[in-house]
Amino acid sequence: MFGKFIILKAAFFILLGETLLFFRLNKKFKSQIWFQNFKYLYFLLVLYSILQFWNLLTQITYLSVFFDNYQPLFFKITYIWGFSVYGYCGILTVYYAFIFLRFVFFKAKNLILTKETKSKKIIHTESSITRKDFLYKTGFAIGTFIDASPFLGTVFIASGLFLGSKEILIENISIKIHNLPEAFKGYKIVQISDIHIGKNIDETYLKYCQGLIKSIKADLLVITGDTIDINNYYLKYAMRFFTSLLNHFRDGILAIPGNHDYFDDGEEFSYTFQKSKIKLLRNENYIIKRGKKQLNIIGLDYAWPHHGNGGKRMKQSKLFYKLASHNVQKDFPVIVLNHHPTDFLWLQNKPVDLMLSGHTHGGQINFSKERNSILSPVGWVFKYYKGHYQENGSHLYVSRGLGNSFPVRINSNPEITVIKLV
């Protein structure tokens, strides 16, 4: 129900925005010949977006038959939908903010012109531009830019789709654990996160990922949340993918839920894992043994339906950790699987040697490869959003994710992470 509500709400605002924008453009350019042809194309795009929102709703409500994600033709169509609709989604809020600022600008302009008229000190010359003309032309230019902003957003998203980072990178990292038993020296963990199996991630992609993962010799595979995108319909493909990897890892596969795994029905998601040989950890401590030595893997549930970097979500996560860690033997290393990386703010002060997270996708869109650059917008929201961090003797690794919920990546390749404990 949650996913259905979000899509319906997004559909309403996008269609409203498209309609209002058309009336503005028609008023401004109706006398232009090119616009007479453009308006038909515009409404074809509007009709197309309506069909794609219907497609999403069918996926959410288990009616995904004709628009099944794994039919190649319609899979490609959803990519076209991805950059067209997301362009509007991402820009419409800014667009309406610009509309408001433009309104304020013209109010101020009219006030200035009124004062000039009253003072009767306006100088007219043929070679100079009057303040009235300057304000009018500036306002027109600002208005044109504002009206073009949703289209510019669409072009930007499209460029990210076709020109952005698509290659899957295998990231190798060694992490020093201070109390690591000799029996676990060189222990390898493969981490994948945020696969988002659904409209954008098909079986062809999963089979390619399967080949990459099987090329890695490791002891354990962990999945740090967001296995599916918005619908449990795709769980069967996820189970098929994971089952094909089970025998490749000596210690099997461990997983935790992410926020997207609750969009449809979190309990059904959990039950599907329980029927398989993949261990889903929901506030549990899983012990891996080598003789008398052991490695503690704590898996935390996602504090659904809470979001954000603090507040109720973080409070709930602290309760989850308390529940999961009460029987942990502190003499042995502790690795925490937790979808949301911001919890490292407080987990670094607990007896936690390593935390593995995802959630951020590395931002997906970065204009700089430098993690602390102001040109990486995700850094404005998350302190920890990609790669390896070390604070207070504790380690955090945040995966950029293997899939995506919208098909655009710039300077943020999808990744498979190989972590070697030393």
Side-chain angles (χ1 to χ4, degrees), residues 2-16:
F2 177 79
K4 186 176 181 180
F5 171 75
I6 292 296
I7 297 300
L8 281 172
K9 189 176 180 180
F12 171 77
F13 281 109
I14 283 187
L15 294 177
L16 176 63

Side-chain angles (χ1 to χ4, degrees), residues 39-104:
K39 64 182 180 182
Y40 297 111
L41 174 62
Y42 184 88
F43 277 104
L44 282 175
L45 291 173
V46 172
L47 176 62
Y48 178 74
S49 67
I50 295 172
L51 289 174
Q52 291 301 341
F53 272 110
W54 176 79
N55 175 21
L56 270 184
L57 287 172
T58 61
Q59 292 184 49
I60 293 172
T61 55
Y62 294 93
L63 299 175
S64 188
V65 180
F66 186 65
F67 281 91
D68 193 321
N69 181 64
Y70 296 116
Q71 296 181 25
L73 173 63
F74 294 104
F75 173 67
K76 292 176 181 178
I77 289 176
T78 58
Y79 263 71
I80 301 173
W81 167 83
F83 67 78
S84 62
V85 175
Y86 274 111
Y88 277 92
C89 281
I91 300 298
L92 274 179
T93 302
V94 179
Y95 171 71
Y96 287 125
F98 278 151
I99 292 293
F100 174 75
L101 292 175
R102 184 173 181 270
F103 171 78
V104 173

